[in-house]
Amino acid sequence: MSRSEYQLYNKTKGYPTPSKLRYRIERIWRRAWLRKLILRVLMLIFFATSLTTGLLIFKNEFKFKGLKSTMESFAFERPELSIIDLNIKGANPDLSNQIKAILQLSFPINPLKININYLQELINNVESVDFSRIRITKNGVLEVVVRERIPVALHRDEKQLMLLDIDGRRIGEVFSRLDRQDLPLVVGSGANHRVKESLEIYKLASPIINRVRGMILVGERRWDIVLDENLRIKLPEKGAKKALNGFLGSGRVMEILRQDFSAVDLRYRGKVIVRTKTTVIREENI
Amino acid sequence: MTIDFRRHRESRKKLRAAIRGGTLGLLDIGTSKIACLILKFAEGNRKSSRSEHLQDTKRLAYRVVGVATKKSRGIKSGEVAIADEVEKSIRSVVQQAQKMAATTIDNVLICFSGGSPVSKNLFGELKLETPIVETRDIGKLLSKYNFGTASSKREILHAMLVNFTLDDKTGLTDPCGLAGQTLGLDVNLMTIDQNVLDNITQCFNRCQLGLAGAVFAPYASARSSLVEDELKLGSACVDMGSGSTGVSIFLNHQMVFGSTVKFGGEHITSDIMQAFQISFEEAERIKTLHGGVVITNLDDRDLIELSSGDRAEGILNYDRPFVSRSELISVIRPRLEEILEEVDSQLDVGGFDHLPSKRIVFTGGGSQLPGFYELATDYFGSRVRIGRPMRIQGLPQALHGSQFSAIIGLAIEASYPQDEVWDFDMPFRAGATERFRLAVNWFKENW
């Protein structure tokens, strides 16, 4: 093998060399800043194209649901954020059922979707609720603290029998007097505004309480205590308690009440005027 | 004819820029192998390289981060023979080194030994205007030299400031700040054939690499193989390359003579190839594994098996399967002797006999032949040493062999470059016509 032959051999059988293009690309690729730039641009293009294709593909769904609600549901409808239960404190079972019915909440619910002020207003509008407080506890429970109004008297209208609290507000309807025999009964228009006074009179009348059937406000001015056997104790417009106290303090109360009178009139100071039934009949007859 | 050293100055600029940038590539373009190192310069040193003159810079801290060696292609006795092939081998070796270093290189410092270099000494004198020598006096003195006629039809590779004389004092390395009347300067001008450097530059440009300087390979290997005393007291470094053998003579830390002998290890291999009618690869293999210089009695019976050459597909069908070692040595030795003879004659040309210490350091791949030391001492006496390159940081152990002394010398040269003529500003001296011509040229170039 001659030298020229060897050179030919050497030329054809050389080691592989990188092509010019590959050499240049590799040189560019080894420059860190250029590599980062290229990678970032490619990444940007990739994300942009994938976002646009995604939008194009799911365009109809977005239209139907609305992008906003989709995003909201994505962001907020999470078990860790939602309210899972309702806890009502300080209310009897009837009232809590009533509150539940009013609120009309179905759990779990997103806290951003409920308006607590509105809920509170709803609850406060319930007649038997004095006031309420609403908060969301840590473990996702909507807690409603309620103070109930306490019924202290029954009030008979033309038709209805209403429960009243101490301020005279109506709490609810009772269908029969027998349902709430523990509460005193007041009758007459305007009687519901004077519940406190009537209760005080009731309290004074405790010695004869087993005979008391109720109280009637006459002409929105003064009270009549109605006892059994249709006996009325007519109280004055002013100083009613004092008059009743004086009457009950006198030793002849039982004696008077035992007799068959139709009314005991205490309206005149220092005097007790009684009316017999016959007289009444007679007078009525006139 | 005036020479403005524009190309050399641009190379210097690139070298400075590369050091500032942190990475520099080194390439040794040999006849048989091409090697590439990538140096990473330490952060703190980059600032110091900002000063205008390279001689101001201190020795820079660096580290080898990328290494690659390949068989070179298209190179014949240190010169570009097939440009395309050379480009390919540069590409592959640079890519491999870049891969290891994980960076890119833009500028490379290269060394080669081709172009039949000729070393020439120039001397000039200048009457000083000021009592103290300043840096610009050196430039003024250098502008008096006629580099153009000294290098007609040739190209300047090195122009080193070898020796300063001030009045009757000689052997000065830096005359700045000294008092005197006449400043003299020896310049060692090393020229190579025209177009040799152009061809190499072309190959590098096509690989997108800038040339940050070209160094004479024997000079580079001397910088890595010679020790301090040898550099100071005068010694020769003989780089036994594969395509050519380089000779450089150093005195006072300066190269005073450089030359090449156009014989090398490749010629030994080619002799073996012809003597035994075997392939070049096989010849190279038995030379490196079994070659020697001194025959002993045992060598007659030491038979070297030739590989069957199955790669060659019938072309290489050996008549004989064995070669005795003594036969091999008897082929190698005459060629080595011839090389040493040539080296001796070159040393005579370089005035080696006048040096204070006449030490010869052999380096390069050829010096690794077993028994070479004995042959060299037969020739040159006991002043001979087989040199190995000094260690540089980060270089793998495998690359500390003497065949890599040139590229290690390049690393040293890059970190601590020697002053050359073009590192000084030469005041421009020109007549009226010359000035006019330059002005016209400037307009032509810029419009």
Side-chain angles (χ1 to χ4, degrees):
Chain A
M1 189 186 187
S2 71
R3 194 169 163 74
S4 58
E5 263 179 324
Y6 160 67
Q7 276 175 352
L8 195 72
Y9 173 79
N10 201 16
K11 193 182 168 180
T12 49
K13 284 242 173 173
Y15 46 83
T17 52
S19 71
K20 216 168 208 172
L21 187 71
R22 196 178 160 185
Y23 172 79
R24 290 195 177 181
I25 287 171
E26 205 157 294
R27 273 172 67 82
I28 288 170
W29 200 244
R30 289 206 189 287
R31 278 167 223 274
W33 64 271
L34 206 59
R35 189 172 61 226
K36 272 180 199 161
L37 190 79
I38 290 168
L39 280 178
R40 266 172 211 177
V41 167
L42 283 178
M43 220 143 73
L44 209 72
I45 289 168
F46 172 72
F47 279 121
T49 47
S50 54
L51 199 72
T52 45
T53 47
L55 280 175
L56 284 176
I57 289 166
F58 298 109
K59 198 165 68 180
N60 292 331
E61 289 184 26
F62 281 129
K63 254 185 200 164
F64 181 66
K65 269 178 92 177
L67 184 63
K68 203 185 158 195
S69 68
T70 316
M71 298 293 273
E72 266 178 11
S73 67
F74 175 75
F76 303 121
E77 276 181 13
R78 295 171 171 278
E80 58 265 29
L81 288 178
S82 61
I83 299 172
I84 50 167
D85 201 7
L86 176 68
N87 184 15
I88 300 171
K89 281 185 178 174
N92 58 33
D94 277 355
L95 182 60
S96 54
N97 282 337
Q98 199 182 348
I99 289 172
K100 271 177 195 169
I102 285 171
L103 293 181
Q104 284 181 333
L105 297 174
S106 58
F107 297 102
I109 194 169
N110 178 9
L112 292 169
K113 281 187 177 170
I114 58 171
N115 184 354
I116 286 193
N117 289 336
Y118 174 67
L119 291 185
Q120 197 161 11
E121 206 176 307
L122 279 181
I123 294 168
N124 285 346
N125 283 347
V126 174
E127 286 170 329
S128 60
V129 172
D130 191 358
F131 73 87
S132 63
R133 200 171 282 152
I134 301 180
R135 67 189 186 105
I136 298 163
T137 58
K138 258 184 206 167
N139 38 14
V141 175
L142 188 72
E143 196 178 78
V144 181
V145 179
V146 174
R147 200 166 82 190
E148 262 186 280
R149 289 206 181 104
I150 304 155
V152 290
L154 279 171
H155 174 236
R156 192 191 290 281
D157 247 353
E158 279 97 29
K159 287 174 182 174
Q160 292 169 309
L161 198 58
M162 300 295 292
L163 286 166
L164 295 183
D165 75 338
I166 192 95
D167 298 322
R169 269 179 296 201
R170 290 170 180 190
I171 293 170
E173 205 177 339
V174 176
F175 297 105
S176 162
R177 172 74 176 100
L178 297 172
D179 287 347
R180 298 302 299 259
Q181 282 184 317
D182 54 322
L183 296 180
L185 177 73
V186 290
V187 183
S189 62
N192 52 343
H193 301 302
R194 299 170 72 167
V195 174
K196 221 174 208 175
E197 195 185 341
S198 71
L199 286 182
E200 279 165 7
I201 292 166
Y202 251 99
K203 211 173 183 182
L204 286 177
S206 54
I208 53 166
I209 200 71
N210 47 356
R211 290 197 61 188
V212 175
R213 291 290 172 266
M215 284 172 71
I216 303 171
L217 190 66
V218 181
E220 297 188 25
R221 275 186 303 116
R222 58 169 202 86
W223 291 101
D224 273 6
I225 301 173
V226 181
L227 305 183
D228 54 354
E229 294 166 17
N230 212 12
L231 174 63
R232 288 187 178 205
I233 299 174
K234 295 185 174 186
L235 295 177
E237 195 178 336
K238 285 176 185 171
K241 280 181 264 182
K242 202 179 168 188
L244 184 64
N245 219 9
F247 170 63
L248 293 174
S250 66
R252 300 174 64 195
V253 178
M254 290 300 146
E255 191 186 335
I256 291 168
L257 292 183
R258 210 179 298 136
Q259 309 237 349
D260 194 21
F261 295 129
S262 65
V264 178
D265 197 345
L266 302 177
R267 284 180 288 181
Y268 304 100
R269 194 178 293 170
K271 288 178 186 171
V272 177
I273 300 167
V274 294
R275 190 178 292 169
T276 58
K277 278 176 181 169
T278 51
T279 317
V280 173
I281 295 165
R282 202 185 304 152
E283 277 178 0
E284 278 180 349
N285 287 341
I286 290 167
Chain B
M1 185 183 161
T2 50
I3 283 184
D4 55 358
F5 298 112
R6 192 183 290 168
R7 175 191 270 178
H8 301 97
R9 288 199 166 124
E10 268 171 23
S11 291
R12 281 297 206 216
K13 254 184 225 166
K14 280 177 188 165
L15 179 61
R16 239 174 271 140
I19 291 170
R20 215 177 296 145
T23 49
L24 174 70
L26 310 174
L27 262 123
D28 177 13
I29 301 165
T31 312
S32 72
K33 72 160 197 324
I34 181 162
C36 178
L37 293 192
I38 294 179
L39 299 188
K40 196 163 200 91
F41 287 88
E43 190 82 40
N45 289 307
R46 293 189 206 162
K47 273 182 200 151
S48 67
S49 70
R50 252 166 230 192
S51 68
E52 269 308 300
H53 283 278
L54 280 169
Q55 69 263 28
D56 292 342
T57 62
K58 288 172 190 154
R59 192 180 281 266
L60 302 172
Y62 59 87
R63 189 178 168 80
V64 178
V65 290
V67 176
T69 52
K70 295 244 170 181
K71 195 171 100 179
S72 67
R73 291 156 62 169
I75 300 243
K76 202 174 167 188
S77 62
E79 291 169 33
V80 177
I82 312 167
D84 203 32
E85 287 288 299
V86 175
E87 191 197 325
K88 274 183 188 169
S89 55
I90 290 170
R91 235 190 279 145
S92 63
V93 81
V94 166
Q95 194 186 36
Q96 199 182 331
Q98 280 178 346
K99 195 174 177 182
M100 180 177 167
T103 50
T104 39
I105 48 172
D106 294 320
N107 295 306
V108 288
L109 188 64
I110 64 158
C111 72
F112 63 99
S113 58
S116 49
V118 171
S119 177
K120 199 175 200 176
N121 274 303
L122 304 177
F123 183 73
E125 266 188 336
L126 177 76
K127 269 255 178 256
L128 292 174
E129 291 158 9
T130 50
I132 306 281
V133 181
E134 290 167 33
T135 316
R136 61 188 162 87
D137 289 328
I138 299 169
K140 225 183 275 178
L141 170 57
L142 285 171
S143 68
K144 293 175 90 179
Y145 286 77
N146 207 342
F147 294 110
T149 43
S151 61
S152 60
K153 298 244 174 178
R154 288 176 75 79
E155 218 164 340
I156 297 173
L157 186 64
H158 285 297
M160 288 166 168
L161 316 177
V162 171
N163 182 32
F164 286 98
T165 54
L166 196 57
D167 297 335
D168 48 357
K169 276 177 287 187
T170 186
L172 302 172
T173 47
D174 188 6
C176 294
L178 298 179
Q181 277 82 47
T182 343
L183 180 69
L185 171 59
D186 286 297
V187 172
N188 179 24
L189 194 70
M190 176 147 289
T191 57
I192 54 168
D193 287 341
Q194 242 174 356
N195 302 330
V196 170
L197 204 57
D198 276 334
N199 287 335
I200 292 175
T201 315
Q202 272 299 310
C203 290
F204 277 100
N205 285 349
R206 271 185 275 163
C207 296
Q208 298 183 311
L209 297 168
L211 211 59
V215 176
F216 182 50
Y219 167 75
S221 37
R223 284 205 71 176
S224 70
S225 315
L226 298 188
V227 297
E228 193 72 18
D229 283 357
E230 289 164 347
L231 285 171
K232 177 84 184 159
L233 297 172
S235 50
C237 177
V238 180
D239 184 358
M240 310 277 292
S242 117
S244 59
T245 301
V247 179
S248 57
I249 299 174
F250 271 69
L251 179 65
N252 236 346
H253 293 276
Q254 298 291 341
M255 184 173 75
V256 293
F257 176 77
S259 178
T260 55
V261 175
K262 288 237 168 186
F263 294 117
E266 199 186 52
H267 297 86
I268 300 172
T269 313
S270 139
D271 284 348
I272 296 167
M273 182 174 98
Q274 281 162 15
F276 304 122
Q277 290 293 304
I278 53 176
S279 72
F280 191 85
E281 274 81 17
E282 185 59 19
E284 184 70 34
R285 188 183 74 84
I286 61 169
K287 182 189 83 173
T288 47
L289 289 180
H290 307 285
V293 178
V294 184
I295 304 177
T296 57
N297 287 337
L298 203 65
D299 291 335
D300 283 334
R301 276 173 286 151
D302 191 357
L303 291 177
I304 300 159
E305 195 179 356
L306 299 174
S307 71
S308 60
D310 48 355
R311 274 182 301 164
E313 292 137 9
I315 304 170
L316 305 166
N317 222 344
Y318 303 134
D319 295 342
R320 40 193 290 195
F322 293 105
V323 166
S324 78
R325 189 156 186 259
S326 57
E327 277 176 303
L328 182 62
I329 289 170
S330 62
V331 175
I332 293 171
R333 184 164 175 131
R335 185 59 91 167
L336 263 185
E337 282 174 355
E338 191 188 356
I339 291 169
L340 289 186
E341 245 169 67
E342 289 288 328
V343 167
D344 198 21
S345 69
Q346 286 300 324
L347 289 178
D348 280 344
V349 173
F352 183 66
D353 287 340
H354 305 291
L355 297 182
S357 144
K358 301 186 189 62
R359 200 172 244 294
I360 303 177
V361 178
F362 284 92
T363 181
S367 67
Q368 289 175 331
L369 269 177
F372 177 78
Y373 178 74
E374 280 78 7
L375 183 69
T377 42
D378 282 353
Y379 247 89
F380 299 104
S382 59
R383 315 160 290 178
V384 169
R385 179 172 79 86
I386 306 293
R388 286 175 71 85
M390 63 167 74
R391 297 181 168 275
I392 57 175
Q393 221 187 357
L395 194 69
Q397 180 64 41
L399 267 69
H400 272 295
S402 54
Q403 67 267 44
F404 294 103
S405 57
I407 198 158
I408 294 169
L410 264 188
I412 294 159
E413 168 74 13
S415 70
Y416 189 50
Q418 209 125 47
D419 285 345
E420 307 229 22
V421 164
W422 42 85
D423 289 326
F424 295 90
D425 290 326
M426 284 176 250
F428 184 67
R429 292 181 308 125
T433 52
E434 185 80 347
R435 273 167 202 271
F436 181 72
R437 198 180 57 78
L438 282 171
V440 168
N441 275 353
W442 186 82
F443 270 97
K444 268 185 190 169
E445 277 174 25
N446 289 284
W447 269 282

